[in-house]
Amino acid sequence: VYTDKDSPEEQHLITSLNGHLLYNTTKVMWDMRFFPVSDNEFYAIRQGGANGIIRFTKSENGDTQLDMYEYGKNVGSGIKHGK
């Protein structure tokens, strides 16, 4: 669960299924599938050929940031606080 940086009441939900990630939010059940291309980057394959990327970045304090890109533009991000 990653808390949205711009809208803290919304959360990005990342789960896994059969070797890929599923992306949803607490507002919309997208069920977008993302496939790994590196240790921290996943590409989407969606109808219509939209170019979606999810990138995870770990900070020094243990938090993980999720950034979502569509056609190269950042369209959302969230934070998961480390333990």
Side-chain angles (χ1 to χ4, degrees):
V1 176
Y2 295 80
T3 303
D4 193 272
K5 292 173 91 176
D6 295 327
S7 302
E9 70 282 356
E10 185 173 7
Q11 296 184 330
H12 304 273
L13 309 173
I14 305 294
T15 56
S16 64
L17 178 67
N18 299 326
H20 56 269
L21 298 182
L22 281 182
Y23 171 81
N24 290 287
T25 71
T26 50
K27 292 185 178 181
V28 180
M29 296 304 286
W30 296 98
D31 283 337
M32 277 189 264
R33 294 179 182 198
F34 286 81
F35 298 85
V37 293
S38 72
D39 287 343
N40 70 327
E41 199 166 87
F42 296 77
Y43 286 3
I45 297 178
R46 298 181 268 174
Q47 287 184 321
N51 177 7
I53 297 171
I54 289 180
R55 185 174 299 133
F56 298 93
T57 308
K58 193 106 173 166
S59 66
E60 290 182 18
N61 69 1
D63 291 352
T64 302
Q65 180 165 319
L66 170 152
D67 288 296
M68 180 176 247
Y69 298 89
E70 189 171 53
Y71 298 110
K73 180 183 175 194
N74 188 311
V75 295
S77 59
I79 295 286
K80 179 179 180 180
H81 295 288
K83 296 181 179 188

